[in-house]
């Protein structure tokens, strides 16, 4: 037996008034709006009647906080797995665009030479391998019910592209992975497949700040 479904939940909005790329930097917590988004994701799973029996989160604060409402809704603890963390990035702590932005600094240009790898951080293949390994183990970790993995935009989007057999290199402006969105996978004979995508916090996205993701 394996889990019925695995849900990849992205964290909510982060308090980031400087609008930097926060990556793996510590101390980036959810904003008040982000807390509402996390509650919306938990409510969505409850309203679907999903039998969630295990919750796993990235070690970063924003993911742990986003897992909280789900844990409370289902009366479960939150396990932590380093493999679903945000990728490394050369530009952590920097503003990317606008006056003084990192993209205008010639010293940063060597990190931009190979977007297919990418040259500015963890290779897409590495992200894919660690995420798919974690997902496979999540399916096998319970005899029945659902497992929730609370992670980050790029790792979740890379899973989507890997399962769709698309090229992992992509335009980051075109990711379909909203704040507190839920990408749902089921197990088939040959492994996981994506079966649903929802954005429970869609009504909260208009005023949201989503510029800090890798």
């Amino acid at each position: 037996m394996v889990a019925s479904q695995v849900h990849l939940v992205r964290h909510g909005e982060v308090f980031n008034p400087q609008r930097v790329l926060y990556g793996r930097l510590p101390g980036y917590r959810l904003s008040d709006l982000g807390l509402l988004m996390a509650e919306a994701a938990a409510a969505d799973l409850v309203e679907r009647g999903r039998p969630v029996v295990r919750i796993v989160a990235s070690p970063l604060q924003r993911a742990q906080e986003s897992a909280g409402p789900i844990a409370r809704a289902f009366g479960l603890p939150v396990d932590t797995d380093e493999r679903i963390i945000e990728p490394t990035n050369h530009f952590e702590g920097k503003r990317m665009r606008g006056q003084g932005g990192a993209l205008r600094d010639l010293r940063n240009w060597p990190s931009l030479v190979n977007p297919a790898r990418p040259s500015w951080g963890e290779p897409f293949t590495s992200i894919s391998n660690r995420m798919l390994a974690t997902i496979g183990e999540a399916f096998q970790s319970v005899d029945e019910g659902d497992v929730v993995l609370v992670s980050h935009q790029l790792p979740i989007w890379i899973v989507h592209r890997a399962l769709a057999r698309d090229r992992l290199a992509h335009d980051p402006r075109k990711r379909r992975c909203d704040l507190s969105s839920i990408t749902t996978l089921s197990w088939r004979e040959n492994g996981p497949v994506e079966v649903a995508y929802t954005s429970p916090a869609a009504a909260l996205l208009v005023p949201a700040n989503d510029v800090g993701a890798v």
Side-chain angles (χ1 to χ4, degrees), residues 179-203:
L179 293 162
S180 288
S181 61
I182 304 175
T183 300
T184 298
L185 313 178
S186 288
W187 191 265
R188 298 290 186 265
E189 183 177 350
N190 295 323
V193 295
E194 184 177 321
V195 294
Y197 170 82
T198 60
S199 183

Side-chain angles (χ1 to χ4, degrees), residues 87 114-131 154-155 157-159 161-162 167-172 175 214:
N114 186 3
R117 184 180 184 269
S119 50
W120 55 79
E122 182 182 2
F124 293 134
T125 53
S126 172
I127 301 168
S128 175
N129 290 341
R130 63 178 169 86
M131 288 294 293
L154 179 54
W157 186 237
I158 287 294
V159 169
R161 295 186 69 84
R167 291 181 66 248
L168 299 184
H170 62 280
D171 183 343
R175 293 173 188 161
V214 170

Side-chain angles (χ1 to χ4, degrees), residues 1-207:
M1 297 291 290
V2 298
S4 300
Q5 294 185 332
V6 168
H7 306 280
L8 307 180
V9 179
R10 189 186 172 199
H11 62 78
E13 183 195 55
V14 174
F15 182 70
N16 181 19
Q18 285 76 41
R19 302 174 75 84
V20 301
L21 191 151
Y22 37 72
R24 293 187 180 183
L25 294 175
Y28 279 87
R29 59 176 175 83
L30 292 184
S31 66
D32 291 344
L33 186 62
L35 292 169
L36 293 176
M37 292 177 171
E39 294 283 356
D44 181 84
L45 292 169
V46 171
E47 289 167 6
R48 289 193 224 176
R50 296 311 311 172
V52 174
V53 296
R54 187 175 182 223
I55 302 167
V56 185
S58 156
L60 294 176
Q61 182 175 351
R62 58 190 181 271
Q64 294 283 321
E65 291 176 345
S66 294
I70 304 172
R72 291 190 292 273
F74 292 95
L76 295 170
V78 177
D79 298 328
T80 299
D81 195 320
E82 293 274 353
R83 293 174 298 174
I84 58 175
I85 197 171
E86 189 85 85
T88 56
N89 193 291
H90 170 78
F91 296 103
E92 282 182 358
K94 299 176 181 178
R95 286 180 63 106
M96 297 302 294
R97 302 181 184 279
Q99 187 173 2
L103 296 181
R104 296 189 178 188
D105 188 337
L106 296 179
R107 294 171 295 182
N108 292 322
W109 286 13
S111 297
L112 301 171
V113 295
N114 186 3
R117 184 180 184 269
S119 50
W120 55 79
E122 182 182 2
F124 293 134
T125 53
S126 172
I127 301 168
S128 175
N129 290 341
R130 63 178 169 86
M131 288 294 293
L132 291 175
T134 308
I135 289 165
E137 290 179 22
F139 270 108
Q140 301 294 331
S141 69
V142 298
D143 291 331
E144 58 184 0
D146 293 7
V147 179
V148 172
L149 303 181
V150 184
S151 185
H152 307 269
Q153 184 190 64
L154 179 54
I156 294 172
W157 186 237
I158 287 294
V159 169
H160 165 81
R161 295 186 69 84
L163 295 182
R165 292 178 170 79
D166 290 337
R167 291 181 66 248
L168 299 184
H170 62 280
D171 183 343
R173 297 169 297 180
K174 297 182 179 179
R175 293 173 188 161
R176 183 221 60 190
C177 190
D178 292 339
L179 293 162
S180 288
S181 61
I182 304 175
T183 300
T184 298
L185 313 178
S186 288
W187 191 265
R188 298 290 186 265
E189 183 177 350
N190 295 323
V193 295
E194 184 177 321
V195 294
Y197 170 82
T198 60
S199 183
L204 303 173
L205 295 176
V206 173

